[in-house]
Amino acid sequence: EEISADATWPVEATRRMNRMYRRQRHIYDGTRRYYLLGRDQLIANLEARAGASVLEIGCGTGRNLVQAARLYPDARFFGIDVSTEMLTSAISAISRRNLAKRIRVAHGDGTAFNPQVSFGIAEFDHVMISYSLSMIPDWRHVLQASASRLKPGGSLHIVDFGSQERLPGIAKMLLKRWLALFGVTPRDGLERELSALARTSGADLKFERPFRGYAQYAVLTLPPQPKTA
């Protein structure tokens, strides 16, 4: 599997993420499974049918893509990430599991990606974003870009850190301090932004705050293609 090039990726963001993950990528999956809660629920709720196309924004090491490809053997999967270090790990993971024919990854920026250039496909049945919005400064544009790449009736699935509103005060404080060390900022305005997007697009929005507010989980489903007379 080769890394495709998306002409819109920002050089500085790539450098910043590569500095962060150059060493971390080797232990990322082993350590993150304890606190990136809700990822498997997101994958299970994709319900990707045969022939469906699924894109992950911020695919990282490819963990979610591999899990999803195993669960939905008749669907096609794509992923973009701004870090070439993480994409190196993703390519290795995909290759080890003999999934290179069903999973493709590309170097791209979630705010302005062009899947037609990277993958030869313009729209997807599902887009998933797992614990990436909290690390992307211009996260609102990621939402807009992702929704714009959905087919009619397609769905956007998101899980990320929440505001921890139902956690004990000391736990909430320590968690936010710890996340800040990794450049992670919970997006407290996520529900508001998705609600506005749903209103303007006529989409259906399901929003939850599981694990006592530790996480935010959302599914935005666009209306189906209008029937022609």
Side-chain angles (χ1 to χ4, degrees):
E1 177 69 37
E2 296 181 356
I3 299 177
S4 302
D6 186 329
T8 61
W9 57 264
V11 173
E12 183 49 42
T14 296
R15 289 174 178 168
R16 177 167 56 88
M17 289 295 99
N18 279 351
R19 284 195 300 270
M20 179 176 296
Y21 289 122
R22 184 165 288 117
R23 294 181 177 84
Q24 281 193 51
R25 68 184 178 87
H26 299 291
I27 61 171
Y28 187 92
D29 289 334
T31 57
R32 266 56 174 186
R33 64 180 177 175
Y34 298 108
Y35 61 87
L36 297 187
L37 307 179
R39 294 182 296 173
D40 291 340
Q41 177 189 357
L42 180 152
I43 293 169
N45 288 342
L46 286 174
E47 299 181 355
R49 67 182 187 279
S53 55
V54 182
L55 171 70
E56 181 173 23
I57 307 296
C59 64
T61 62
R63 181 264 187 195
N64 293 336
L65 291 172
V66 168
Q67 293 281 92
R70 287 173 164 176
L71 186 60
Y72 306 108
D74 297 316
R76 297 175 298 152
F77 295 88
F78 306 86
I80 64 168
D81 202 284
V82 79
S83 169
T84 53
E85 292 284 348
M86 291 295 256
L87 285 174
T88 298
S89 289
I91 291 169
S92 296
I94 293 165
S95 178
R96 285 197 306 273
R97 292 162 178 83
N98 297 315
L99 291 170
K101 291 183 178 179
R102 294 185 47 227
I103 304 175
R104 295 176 59 191
V105 296
H107 187 198
D109 170 22
T111 66
F113 58 95
N114 187 339
Q116 187 67 54
V117 172
S118 300
F119 305 121
I121 180 171
E123 296 178 321
F124 302 86
D125 294 287
H126 308 283
V127 174
M128 56 179 178
I129 311 175
S130 170
Y131 288 94
S132 295
L133 291 177
S134 52
M135 299 192 70
I136 302 174
D138 198 4
W139 60 277
R140 292 176 178 85
H141 279 173
V142 177
L143 297 179
Q144 296 166 4
S146 299
S148 72
R149 296 302 182 183
L150 286 173
K151 295 178 181 178
S155 54
L156 171 62
H157 300 251
I158 299 171
V159 65
D160 213 312
F161 292 106
S163 58
Q164 303 103 40
E165 66 272 7
R166 299 192 303 280
L167 292 180
I170 185 66
K172 179 178 179 179
M173 180 188 69
L174 292 175
L175 178 60
K176 287 197 171 183
R177 286 184 178 180
W178 184 72
L179 292 177
L181 297 176
F182 299 93
V184 173
T185 304
R187 303 307 182 189
D188 295 340
L190 179 59
E191 183 177 14
R192 182 174 62 252
E193 294 294 329
L194 287 173
S195 295
L197 191 56
R199 285 194 299 271
T200 58
S201 62
D204 175 70
L205 175 63
K206 296 180 180 179
F207 197 96
E208 303 173 7
R209 292 183 173 83
F211 313 112
R212 302 183 69 182
Y214 178 92
Q216 302 181 84
Y217 177 76
V219 180
L220 181 82
T221 304
L222 295 185
Q225 183 74 43
K227 294 181 179 180
T228 57

